[in-house]
């Protein structure tokens, strides 16, 4: 198994922070005597991604130089491109309790066994106002990512991670492939080019269409749904997975497409998160990455194509992975097929286009949206979930 097939990870080496069996036993024994810190759901997602190399080249929670570099100009202190801070923040009580320690045992929940040891390299004050404006382009607390950031502690503890065990999950076991495992899956399938698709939603015809447009020019498709924390009104992970399975069963070629879980928490940081998502997918082995309209956006905080434009702020070699930009797509009755403003010359009246609000209203009334908008199998799953 090669670390660099089919594309080198960000920074060149696929990080693996998970200890082998002997080392894990020693680490667990050491952790038993260290001050303990419970990490929140979002930071636990980051810990899992750090452990498996999804955030290569990071080997722990970021220190101040990296943090400031990311906020100021989207680069690590090493000069490598990076768009979203990955930090461990603690409130005042925890800071007083563990702030002076050289090593801290990190626990996934109150009373749970430690799953990692953090070798502390420093601590610094989290500049929340600056982070809000630079990463989220707003300090509005109505923004779910800004809110989550302001809800976290004021002090960041930086350090290198040594991981005893990955966070446990009781769902999607077969779909939780690490970057080393997706790379191996691509190798086994002989895919030399792979396009990654990020989603936190059920997939309707428009997104199926852009995935398949992308698949026309590469060897394989990785549908990579984000399954970490999302906002409360997003469709729950279990329901989404049922939708993906129904789509794959009926409409996707199994030798050309696969689904795996992306364990990240959602930031809703729009353009910057698009860059971060792309870099992480490169670590999973994707050579291409789909960037649609309003990628990782929420509300009206970002322009429709801001997440595509931001790729222009980097030299293409800096990111390595190739972004594939798509416009809004739809079924057109005159074309008798899917298209976009780029490929369909017809009027709005000829196009099957529904607002998110309208779709939710139809589904809650037990009504399928038109099959040109949503596959009936997917619609039925969403209807059943809304009526449960
Ligand atoms: Zn048309």
């Amino acid at each position: 198994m090669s670390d660099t097939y089919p594309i080198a990870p960000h920074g060149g080496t696929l990080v693996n922070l998970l200890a082998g069996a002997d080392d894990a036993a020693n680490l667990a024994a050491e952790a038993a005597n260290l001050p303990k810190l419970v990490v929140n759901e979002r930071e636990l997602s980051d810990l899992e991604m750090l452990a498996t190399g999804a955030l290569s080249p990071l080997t722990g929670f970021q220190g101040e130089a990296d943090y400031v570099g990311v906020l100021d100009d989207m680069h690590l202190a090493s000069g490598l491109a990076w768009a979203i801070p990955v930090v461990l923040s603690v409130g005042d009580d925890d800071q007083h309790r563990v702030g002076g320690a050289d090593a801290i045992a990190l626990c996934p929940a109150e009373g749970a066994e430690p799953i990692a040891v953090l070798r502390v390299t420093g601590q610094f004050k989290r500049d929340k106002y600056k982070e809000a404006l630079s990463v989220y382009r707003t300090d509005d607390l109505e923004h779910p990512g800004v809110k989550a950031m302001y809800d976290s502690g004021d002090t960041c503890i930086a350090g290198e991670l040594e991981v005893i065990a990955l966070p446990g999950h009781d769902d999607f076991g077969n779909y939780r492939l690490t970057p080393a495992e997706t790379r191996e899956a691509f190798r086994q399938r002989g895919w030399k080019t792979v396009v990654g698709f990020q989603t936190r939603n059920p997939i309707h015809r428009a997104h199926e269409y852009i995935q398949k447009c992308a698949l026309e020019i590469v060897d394989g498709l990785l549908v990579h749904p984000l399954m970490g924390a999302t906002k409360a009104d997003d469709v729950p992970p279990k329901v989404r997975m049922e939708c993906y399975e129904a789509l794959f069963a009926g409409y996707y070629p199994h030798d050309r497409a696969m689904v795996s879980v992306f364990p990240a928490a959602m930031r809703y940081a729009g353009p910057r998160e698009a860059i971060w998502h792309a870099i992480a997918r490169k670590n999973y082995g994707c050579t291409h990455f789909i960037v649609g309209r309003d990628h990782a956006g929420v509300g009206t905080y970002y322009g429709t194509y801001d997440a595509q434009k931001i790729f222009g702020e980097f030299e293409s070699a800096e990111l390595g992975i190739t972004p594939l930009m798509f416009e809004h797509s739809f079924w057109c009755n005159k074309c008798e097929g899917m298209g976009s403003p780029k490929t369909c010359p017809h009027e709005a009246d000829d196009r099957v286009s529904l607002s998110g609000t309208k779709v939710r209203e139809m589904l809650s009334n037990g009504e399928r949206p038109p099959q040109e908008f949503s596959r009936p199998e997917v619609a039925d799953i969403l209807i059943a979930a809304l009526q449960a």
Side-chain angles (χ1 to χ4, degrees):
M1 182 165 51
S2 163
D3 271 352
T4 56
Y5 183 91
I7 185 172
H10 201 49
T13 305
L14 192 63
V15 167
N16 175 16
L17 306 177
L18 190 59
D22 289 352
D23 290 340
N26 291 337
L27 268 180
E30 181 191 354
N33 297 313
L34 293 175
K36 310 229 171 359
L37 181 69
V38 175
V39 298
N40 68 33
E41 182 188 12
R42 293 168 169 277
E43 291 166 345
L44 196 60
S45 283
D46 287 346
L47 189 158
E48 179 172 358
M49 302 232 297
L50 287 163
T52 59
L55 301 181
S56 299
L58 304 189
T59 51
F61 288 103
Q62 288 175 326
E64 189 166 19
D66 280 340
Y67 177 74
V68 170
V70 171
L71 297 196
D72 284 347
D73 71 348
M74 294 194 284
H75 286 81
L76 301 174
S78 66
L80 211 56
W82 199 268
I84 298 272
V86 178
V87 292
L88 179 66
S89 44
V90 294
D92 291 346
D93 290 350
D94 279 332
Q95 199 271 331
H96 289 134
R97 198 169 53 79
V98 304
D102 294 331
I104 302 170
L106 303 183
C107 305
E110 205 66 56
E113 292 296 318
I115 58 167
V117 171
L118 184 75
R119 310 273 174 214
V120 178
T121 53
Q123 53 177 290
F124 60 95
K125 191 154 173 53
R126 188 165 191 173
D127 192 339
K128 292 181 174 174
Y129 181 67
K130 180 173 172 178
E131 184 173 338
L133 294 189
S134 62
V135 175
Y136 298 94
R137 302 186 179 183
T138 174
D139 67 341
D140 184 355
L141 289 172
E142 296 293 315
H143 184 297
V146 171
K147 171 82 165 56
M149 194 261 296
Y150 270 99
D151 284 347
S152 66
D154 287 332
T155 303
C156 295
I157 300 189
E160 301 287 305
L161 272 177
E162 293 177 40
V163 179
I164 300 164
L166 293 178
H169 295 285
D170 53 13
D171 52 7
F172 316 135
N174 296 335
Y175 291 108
R176 292 190 179 276
L177 302 186
T178 65
E181 289 167 341
T182 51
R183 286 167 176 274
E184 176 60 15
F186 301 161
R187 196 192 61 75
Q188 284 174 6
R189 289 163 173 76
W191 298 349
K192 293 189 172 68
T193 49
V194 185
V195 63
F197 182 80
Q198 147 71 27
T199 179
R200 64 170 201 272
N201 290 308
I203 294 171
H204 297 296
R205 295 291 300 273
H207 283 153
E208 178 185 333
Y209 172 71
I210 63 175
Q211 289 168 24
K212 289 181 173 177
C213 284
L215 183 52
E216 293 288 359
I217 60 161
V218 296
D219 296 335
L221 164 68
L222 175 66
V223 174
H224 212 204
L226 178 144
M227 293 299 199
T230 56
K231 55 191 174 60
D233 59 348
D234 282 344
V235 177
K238 182 174 166 293
V239 177
R240 286 194 279 135
M241 187 57 92
E242 282 178 40
C243 294
Y244 307 142
E245 286 177 332
L247 261 187
F248 267 65
Y251 302 96
Y252 283 60
H254 294 181
D255 57 341
R256 290 288 176 194
M258 57 183 276
V259 184
S260 182
V261 163
F262 183 54
M266 197 65 210
R267 269 79 170 173
Y268 303 95
R272 275 195 181 231
E273 195 163 13
I275 296 292
W276 194 69
H277 279 164
I279 289 172
R281 270 40 178 252
K282 177 172 65 164
N283 287 330
Y284 280 91
C286 296
T287 54
H288 295 70
F289 183 64
I290 292 170
V291 187
R293 60 204 291 276
D294 201 23
H295 183 106
V298 63
T300 53
Y301 295 100
Y302 310 108
T304 307
Y305 295 106
D306 284 359
Q308 300 183 350
K309 289 181 198 148
I310 195 172
F311 281 81
E313 296 180 32
F314 297 88
E315 299 292 330
S316 59
E318 274 195 291
L319 298 177
I321 189 167
T322 305
L324 300 177
M325 319 291 196
F326 288 92
E327 293 192 25
H328 170 56
S329 58
F330 44 75
W331 177 276
C332 169
N333 288 322
K334 283 220 170 101
C335 291
E336 294 186 321
M338 298 295 298
S340 76
K342 211 172 165 182
T343 55
C344 157
H346 303 115
E347 305 293 324
D349 283 354
D350 300 317
R351 299 169 177 174
V352 178
S353 183
L354 300 174
S355 71
T357 314
K358 177 68 184 166
V359 173
R360 271 190 297 277
E361 185 189 309
M362 294 182 80
L363 294 169
S364 349
N365 293 336
E367 198 184 333
R368 284 179 182 167
Q371 62 176 6
E372 294 84 1
F373 181 88
S374 190
R375 299 286 187 191
E377 295 89 337
V378 171
D380 288 349
I381 290 165
L382 295 171
I383 288 170
L386 282 165
Q387 295 182 339

